[in-house]
PDB file of all heavy atoms in Angstrom:
ATOM      1  N   ALA A 553     103.188  92.628 133.078  1.00  0.00           N
ATOM      2  CA  ALA A 553     103.569  92.864 134.472  1.00  0.00           C
ATOM      3  C   ALA A 553     102.449  92.461 135.418  1.00  0.00           C
ATOM      4  O   ALA A 553     102.705  91.981 136.536  1.00  0.00           O
ATOM      5  CB  ALA A 553     103.932  94.331 134.671  1.00  0.00           C
ATOM      6  N   ARG A 554     101.189  92.642 134.992  1.00  0.00           N
ATOM      7  CA  ARG A 554     100.071  92.272 135.866  1.00  0.00           C
ATOM      8  C   ARG A 554      99.959  90.755 135.979  1.00  0.00           C
ATOM      9  O   ARG A 554      99.595  90.231 137.036  1.00  0.00           O
ATOM     10  CB  ARG A 554      98.779  92.897 135.359  1.00  0.00           C
ATOM     11  CG  ARG A 554      98.779  94.413 135.460  1.00  0.00           C
ATOM     12  CD  ARG A 554      97.444  95.031 135.053  1.00  0.00           C
ATOM     13  NE  ARG A 554      97.472  96.470 135.241  1.00  0.00           N
ATOM     14  CZ  ARG A 554      97.859  97.344 134.323  1.00  0.00           C
ATOM     15  NH1 ARG A 554      98.228  96.906 133.131  1.00  0.00           N
ATOM     16  NH2 ARG A 554      97.882  98.635 134.574  1.00  0.00           N
ATOM     17  N   ALA A 555     100.222  90.051 134.904  1.00  0.00           N
ATOM     18  CA  ALA A 555     100.246  88.588 134.986  1.00  0.00           C
ATOM     19  C   ALA A 555     101.367  88.123 135.910  1.00  0.00           C
ATOM     20  O   ALA A 555     101.188  87.170 136.684  1.00  0.00           O
ATOM     21  CB  ALA A 555     100.420  87.990 133.590  1.00  0.00           C
ATOM     22  N   ALA A 556     102.504  88.788 135.859  1.00  0.00           N
ATOM     23  CA  ALA A 556     103.607  88.444 136.760  1.00  0.00           C
ATOM     24  C   ALA A 556     103.202  88.656 138.210  1.00  0.00           C
ATOM     25  O   ALA A 556     103.558  87.866 139.095  1.00  0.00           O
ATOM     26  CB  ALA A 556     104.842  89.282 136.416  1.00  0.00           C
ATOM     27  N   GLU A 557     102.431  89.721 138.481  1.00  0.00           N
ATOM     28  CA  GLU A 557     101.967  89.973 139.839  1.00  0.00           C
ATOM     29  C   GLU A 557     101.044  88.863 140.322  1.00  0.00           C
ATOM     30  O   GLU A 557     101.067  88.486 141.499  1.00  0.00           O
ATOM     31  CB  GLU A 557     101.257  91.325 139.910  1.00  0.00           C
ATOM     32  CG  GLU A 557     102.194  92.510 139.739  1.00  0.00           C
ATOM     33  CD  GLU A 557     101.430  93.826 139.609  1.00  0.00           C
ATOM     34  OE1 GLU A 557     100.175  93.794 139.670  1.00  0.00           O
ATOM     35  OE2 GLU A 557     102.082  94.873 139.471  1.00  0.00           O
ATOM     36  N   VAL A 558     100.205  88.335 139.428  1.00  0.00           N
ATOM     37  CA  VAL A 558      99.317  87.240 139.803  1.00  0.00           C
ATOM     38  C   VAL A 558     100.138  86.008 140.188  1.00  0.00           C
ATOM     39  O   VAL A 558      99.861  85.353 141.210  1.00  0.00           O
ATOM     40  CB  VAL A 558      98.336  86.904 138.664  1.00  0.00           C
ATOM     41  CG1 VAL A 558      97.548  85.639 138.987  1.00  0.00           C
ATOM     42  CG2 VAL A 558      97.380  88.064 138.425  1.00  0.00           C
ATOM     43  N   ILE A 559     101.137  85.674 139.375  1.00  0.00           N
ATOM     44  CA  ILE A 559     101.980  84.508 139.665  1.00  0.00           C
ATOM     45  C   ILE A 559     102.662  84.681 141.019  1.00  0.00           C
ATOM     46  O   ILE A 559     102.673  83.766 141.855  1.00  0.00           O
ATOM     47  CB  ILE A 559     103.022  84.292 138.562  1.00  0.00           C
ATOM     48  CG1 ILE A 559     102.346  84.061 137.201  1.00  0.00           C
ATOM     49  CG2 ILE A 559     103.940  83.125 138.912  1.00  0.00           C
ATOM     50  CD1 ILE A 559     101.454  82.860 137.143  1.00  0.00           C
ATOM     51  N   ASP A 560     103.227  85.863 141.259  1.00  0.00           N
ATOM     52  CA  ASP A 560     103.910  86.110 142.532  1.00  0.00           C
ATOM     53  C   ASP A 560     102.920  86.091 143.697  1.00  0.00           C
ATOM     54  O   ASP A 560     103.242  85.602 144.787  1.00  0.00           O
ATOM     55  CB  ASP A 560     104.636  87.452 142.480  1.00  0.00           C
ATOM     56  CG  ASP A 560     105.792  87.454 141.486  1.00  0.00           C
ATOM     57  OD1 ASP A 560     106.276  86.356 141.149  1.00  0.00           O
ATOM     58  OD2 ASP A 560     106.188  88.548 141.036  1.00  0.00           O
ATOM     59  N   LEU A 561     101.716  86.622 143.469  1.00  0.00           N
ATOM     60  CA  LEU A 561     100.691  86.631 144.512  1.00  0.00           C
ATOM     61  C   LEU A 561     100.337  85.213 144.929  1.00  0.00           C
ATOM     62  O   LEU A 561     100.285  84.890 146.120  1.00  0.00           O
ATOM     63  CB  LEU A 561      99.441  87.361 144.009  1.00  0.00           C
ATOM     64  CG  LEU A 561      98.179  87.274 144.883  1.00  0.00           C
ATOM     65  CD1 LEU A 561      98.381  88.031 146.175  1.00  0.00           C
ATOM     66  CD2 LEU A 561      96.974  87.824 144.131  1.00  0.00           C
ATOM     67  N   VAL A 562     100.090  84.351 143.961  1.00  0.00           N
ATOM     68  CA  VAL A 562      99.689  82.978 144.268  1.00  0.00           C
ATOM     69  C   VAL A 562     100.841  82.196 144.881  1.00  0.00           C
ATOM     70  O   VAL A 562     100.662  81.451 145.859  1.00  0.00           O
ATOM     71  CB  VAL A 562      99.168  82.292 142.995  1.00  0.00           C
ATOM     72  CG1 VAL A 562      98.942  80.806 143.234  1.00  0.00           C
ATOM     73  CG2 VAL A 562      97.880  82.952 142.530  1.00  0.00           C
ATOM     74  N   ASP A 563     102.045  82.354 144.326  1.00  0.00           N
ATOM     75  CA  ASP A 563     103.197  81.608 144.857  1.00  0.00           C
ATOM     76  C   ASP A 563     103.503  81.994 146.294  1.00  0.00           C
ATOM     77  O   ASP A 563     103.998  81.170 147.071  1.00  0.00           O
ATOM     78  CB  ASP A 563     104.429  81.848 143.981  1.00  0.00           C
ATOM     79  CG  ASP A 563     104.383  81.033 142.690  1.00  0.00           C
ATOM     80  OD1 ASP A 563     103.487  80.176 142.568  1.00  0.00           O
ATOM     81  OD2 ASP A 563     105.236  81.263 141.810  1.00  0.00           O
ATOM     82  N   GLY A 564     103.220  83.258 146.668  1.00  0.00           N
ATOM     83  CA  GLY A 564     103.542  83.705 148.020  1.00  0.00           C
ATOM     84  C   GLY A 564     102.344  83.821 148.941  1.00  0.00           C
ATOM     85  O   GLY A 564     102.441  84.434 150.010  1.00  0.00           O
TER      86      GLY A 564
END
Side-chain angles (χ1 to χ4, degrees):
R554 294 184 177 90
E557 291 172 1
V558 172
I559 300 299
D560 293 339
L561 170 68
V562 171
D563 282 351

